[in-house]
Amino acid sequence: MGRRILFLGPPGGGKGTQAKMVRRALGVPHVSTGDMLREAMASGSDLGRRAEAYVSVGDLVPDELVVALVEERLAREDAAGGYLLDGFPRNLPQAEALAEVLGDEALDTIVYLDVDEDEIIARLLKRAQIEGRADDNEETIRHRLEVFHGETEPLIAYYGDRVRRIDGTGSVEDIYCRIALELAS
């Protein structure tokens, strides 16, 4: 089996951008829970219909449904040679469920993009302005960061020495180079 990588980092930390670049370099699927939920709901699958019942009223999809979606996705042939998870697990119960379903070796490397909060706020405010997202103001961004830290700190402790902290500031190319060097070691 190839590399099994999890990308962690704050909202606006560049996970999606970097995950796509690493995916191309390693030739493994980029497994994004957001993309999977949208795909499952669009397909009308049983899991998709169950997820839509939560999403349509603005609730988070329960962990057991997200775990089932991830398990189903990772069972596909293209993930046999490794995968890159983005956005899952996002909390300790999801990490424990993933380990229960796929075993403790479900992940071998956790890349944590470490970005200063002021930088994150500036990035997200700029993105909100560009995309016209009125819901992303400084107050909501700070709340999202608070929630992120509350959920992620236990994950970092849970994964221990598999976590590789990468400086997530600078150009997209510089950050990618740091990640590639870490993954090569």
Side-chain angles (χ1 to χ4, degrees):
M1 163 149 283
R3 299 299 297 266
R4 298 166 313 256
I5 303 167
L6 166 63
F7 265 68
L8 285 177
K15 295 180 302 294
T17 300
Q18 294 299 326
K20 288 175 185 150
M21 294 170 71
V22 171
R23 174 196 63 81
R24 281 193 297 273
L26 296 179
V28 297
H30 172 206
V31 179
S32 162
T33 52
D35 292 347
M36 285 190 320
L37 283 168
R38 285 184 288 279
E39 180 183 306
M41 289 184 294
S43 76
S45 71
D46 177 55
L47 283 173
R49 286 191 305 278
R50 290 169 52 204
E52 181 138 25
Y54 293 94
V55 173
S56 65
V57 295
D59 289 339
L60 287 175
V61 176
D63 290 346
E64 61 272 8
L65 283 182
V66 177
V67 171
L69 275 170
V70 171
E71 181 181 15
E72 183 180 271
R73 175 61 185 93
L74 296 181
R76 293 185 196 164
E77 190 176 323
D78 68 335
Y83 44 82
L84 195 154
L85 294 177
D86 174 8
F88 179 88
R90 71 171 185 268
N91 58 39
L92 194 52
Q94 287 182 353
E96 291 168 341
L98 180 68
E100 188 176 309
V101 169
L102 297 177
D104 286 330
E105 300 306 313
L107 296 169
D108 53 45
T109 305
I110 290 77
V111 173
Y112 180 83
L113 290 175
D114 203 357
V115 184
D116 177 76
E117 270 197 26
D118 290 335
E119 172 75 14
I120 291 295
I121 291 166
R123 285 182 189 180
L124 289 176
L125 287 173
K126 182 178 180 181
R127 184 170 80 183
Q129 184 179 22
I130 291 169
E131 296 177 6
R133 293 173 58 165
D135 60 327
D136 267 352
N137 57 52
E138 188 167 342
E139 183 181 337
T140 60
I141 291 168
R142 286 191 185 281
H143 177 70
R144 287 170 56 202
L145 288 170
E146 195 175 296
V147 169
F148 166 77
H149 288 298
E151 291 182 339
T152 303
E153 293 307 317
L155 276 180
I156 292 170
Y158 177 78
Y159 286 122
D161 62 358
R162 289 183 277 175
V163 177
R164 305 288 181 255
R165 286 185 176 267
I166 306 291
D167 178 3
T169 58
S171 73
V172 169
E173 294 78 15
D174 288 345
I175 298 165
Y176 173 75
C177 287
R178 288 183 209 122
I179 293 168
L181 285 172
E182 188 61 45
L183 291 176
S185 64

